[in-house]
Amino acid sequence: MTKPILPGATLGVLGSGQLGRMFTIAARRLGYRVHVLSPDHETPTGQVADLEIQADYHDLDRVAEFAKGVSVVTFEFENVPAETTEVCNRFGPVRPAGSVLYTSQNRLREKTFLRDAGLPVTPFVSVTSVDELLAGLKKQGIPSVLKTADWGYDGKGQVVIRSVDAAATAWASLNVPKAILESFIDFDCEISVVAARGLDGQFVSYGPIGNAHHNHILDVSVCPARVPASVAKQAIEIARAVVESLNVVGVLCVEFFVTRSGELLINETAPRPHNSGHLTIDAHVTCQFEQQVRAICGLPLGSSELRSPSAMANLLGDVWEPGEPNWPAALAHPNLKLHLYGKQAARIGRKMGHLTVLSDNVDEAEQTARAARDALMWR
Ligand code: AMP
C-alpha cells in the first residue's frame, strides 16, 4: 500500500497557465507547497506557487532538479514532452502517468485507444497524403473535419472540408506529416464529464456539463447539462470506462457530441482539469482542482455533489478591447463569482478569466452569466 502524500509536502506541476494556478490555489488551501516548472516567467501559476522554475521542458538537468524537490509531479496541459515526465518519474510518481499523456497528446493514438476499448468515438481515418485524404473523404463523406494529429486544442490545426475540390488546399494548409480525418457531426449539443480517479480506484464525476463554443473556443458551460437522464447516465458510464481503461490517477475530462438521435460520441479527452469544470469551484462541494490534489496525493476523493445549478462564462481578451472591463457592473450580481488568471496582456482569444453564476435553474444562471459578461464592456 503506497503511503499518502500529506499536507505540508511539496507538489510539482509542469505547465504554468490558469489550470496550474487553480490547482495551486487548491493545493495551498490544503496546506501543500507547490513548485511549478515551465519555460515562462511571472506566470499565472508562478504568481501563486511557492517556487517558479523557468526552464525548457527539454532541459532535463533542470527538470531533474525540479523533480528532486517534490513528492509527486502532475501537469496542467497535455503537450509535456515524454522525456520530461520520464525524468520526473525517476525521482517519484507522475500522476496521471506519462503513458496517459502519451495516449492523449495525439488525436490518432487517443481515438484508436478509445475505439479499441469499445468506446464510441467520432468515426475517423488516419491521413498522411492528399491521396489518403481523398480516399478518406469517400469513406467519411462530406463535410469532414481534418485535424492535425499532434498539438491540437481549441480548434487550432483543423479545417472543415466541404467539397472534394477543397481537399488539396486543406491538406497543404495543415502542413503536417500526419492528420486525422473525422466525420463532421451535425450534433444536437456538446457535453463533458469531468471525472476523478483515486490511487485506490475511487471514482467521482461532475456533470454532464453543457458546453457552447464560439470560434472553436469554449464560451459558456452550464451544469447540469440539458440532456435526458438516460444520456447523462450513459455519459458518466463512458467517462468511468475511459479513466479505468487508461488507469488514470487524477482528473480527466471527456468531451462528447450528443447527436440528434441522442447518441453519444467522444470528441476528445484531456487528462487534467478542464475549462468546462471551472464552475465546480463555486458550484460543487469539492472542485476539480481539489480532486486533482487529493488523487495525486493518494487521499480519498471529496464529494462531487452539485450545490446549485450554475453557469460559467469565459472571459477572453476580447472583453478588454473597449478598455478596462467594467468590473463593478458585473460584480453587482450578488450570485456571481469572478476568477481572473493574472495575465498581463489581454489578446483576442486569450483566456483571461471566467465568471460563474449560481442560480435556482441553469437557464437563469446562463442568462445572468451572459448579461454580466456583456456588462463588462459597458462604458
Ligand atoms: P476540438 O479542438 O477537436 O475539441 O474541436 C473544437 C470544436 O470544434 C468542438 O468543440 C466542436 O464544436 C467542433 N468540432 C470538432 N470536431 C468536430 C466534428 N467532427 N464534427 C463537428 N464539429 C466538430
Side-chain angles (χ1 to χ4, degrees):
M1 171 77 192
T2 319
K3 273 205 191 136
I5 297 162
L6 299 176
T10 303
L11 315 181
V13 58
L14 294 165
S16 58
Q18 63 269 17
L19 300 177
R21 179 186 181 92
M22 292 181 269
F23 164 81
T24 300
I25 291 170
R28 293 192 67 154
R29 187 163 41 75
L30 284 164
Y32 290 95
R33 297 172 63 81
V34 178
H35 293 179
V36 56
L37 182 141
S38 85
D40 303 314
H41 182 56
E42 283 278 333
T43 58
T45 310
Q47 290 165 13
V48 296
D50 294 276
L51 179 67
E52 180 177 51
I53 300 170
Q54 183 179 16
D56 194 276
Y57 296 117
H58 296 285
D59 183 344
L60 301 181
D61 291 336
R62 302 290 305 282
V63 169
E65 206 180 301
F66 156 78
K68 276 184 212 162
V70 302
S71 299
V72 58
V73 169
T74 191
F75 44 85
E76 62 115 49
F77 77 125
E78 45 276 53
N79 290 327
V80 174
E83 59 177 6
T84 311
T85 52
E86 275 160 26
V87 166
C88 291
N89 207 211
R90 282 190 217 143
F91 302 97
V94 176
R95 293 177 182 149
S99 56
V100 179
L101 258 184
Y102 179 77
T103 304
S104 55
Q105 60 193 190
N106 175 287
R107 292 185 197 271
L108 273 167
R109 275 201 296 272
E110 175 190 45
K111 285 232 157 74
T112 306
F113 177 90
L114 296 169
R115 188 178 60 188
D116 291 351
L119 297 166
V121 293
T122 322
F124 71 95
V125 291
S126 156
V127 170
T128 59
S129 66
V130 179
D131 286 345
E132 281 185 12
L133 175 56
L134 289 168
L137 285 170
K138 252 191 201 145
K139 184 165 173 239
Q140 302 289 131
I142 285 183
S144 278
V145 190
L146 185 67
K147 302 179 178 179
T148 55
D150 289 311
W151 308 101
Y153 70 99
D154 284 349
K156 291 192 173 62
Q158 60 176 273
V159 49
V160 179
I161 302 180
R162 298 188 187 279
S163 74
V164 173
D165 295 345
T169 319
W171 175 248
S173 76
L174 286 196
N175 193 26
V176 289
K178 201 161 193 176
I180 179 170
L181 183 73
E182 296 178 5
S183 300
F184 183 87
I185 308 299
D186 178 26
F187 53 78
D188 178 46
C189 64
E190 293 183 82
I191 61 171
S192 55
V193 172
V194 175
R197 187 162 173 270
L199 200 53
D200 61 354
Q202 186 189 354
F203 172 84
V204 300
S205 68
Y206 302 92
I209 298 160
N211 301 318
H213 292 78
H214 183 67
N215 291 336
H216 296 282
I217 302 176
L218 184 65
D219 185 35
V220 170
S221 291
V222 297
C223 192
R226 301 172 183 99
V227 290
S230 58
V231 172
K233 186 167 172 272
Q234 203 196 342
I236 292 168
E237 277 166 12
I238 293 172
R240 185 179 191 130
V242 172
V243 292
E244 286 179 354
S245 56
L246 282 168
N247 197 15
V248 170
V249 175
V251 171
L252 179 142
C253 175
V254 185
E255 291 181 71
F256 298 92
F257 297 131
V258 184
T259 68
R260 297 196 184 276
S261 56
E263 192 191 351
L264 283 165
L265 295 172
I266 299 176
N267 172 33
E268 63 177 357
T269 65
R272 49 163 174 78
H274 190 257
N275 195 165
S276 63
H278 290 358
L279 49 73
T280 63
I281 297 175
D282 301 304
H284 292 74
V285 173
T286 315
C287 75
Q288 61 170 352
F289 300 101
E290 181 173 341
Q291 302 287 27
Q292 185 185 14
V293 174
R294 290 175 180 234
I296 67 166
C297 290
L299 292 169
L301 303 181
S303 159
S304 61
E305 190 187 334
L306 179 69
R307 291 196 287 202
S308 161
S310 57
M312 185 276 325
N314 263 340
L315 302 179
L316 302 185
D318 312 44
V319 171
W320 275 251
E321 269 293 279
E324 183 64 24
N326 188 343
W327 302 117
L331 291 167
H333 295 275
N335 295 333
L336 178 145
K337 301 295 242 179
L338 175 66
H339 300 257
L340 292 172
Y341 308 147
K343 296 183 184 177
Q344 299 304 318
R347 288 189 298 273
I348 297 284
R350 189 177 195 204
K351 290 176 180 171
M352 302 294 290
H354 69 270
L355 44 85
T356 305
V357 172
L358 308 184
S359 195
D360 293 339
N361 61 73
V362 285
D363 293 342
E364 216 171 83
E366 177 172 357
Q367 226 173 13
T368 307
R370 288 182 183 277
R373 185 172 59 182
D374 289 347
L376 288 174
M377 301 216 265
W378 290 350
R379 294 292 92 213

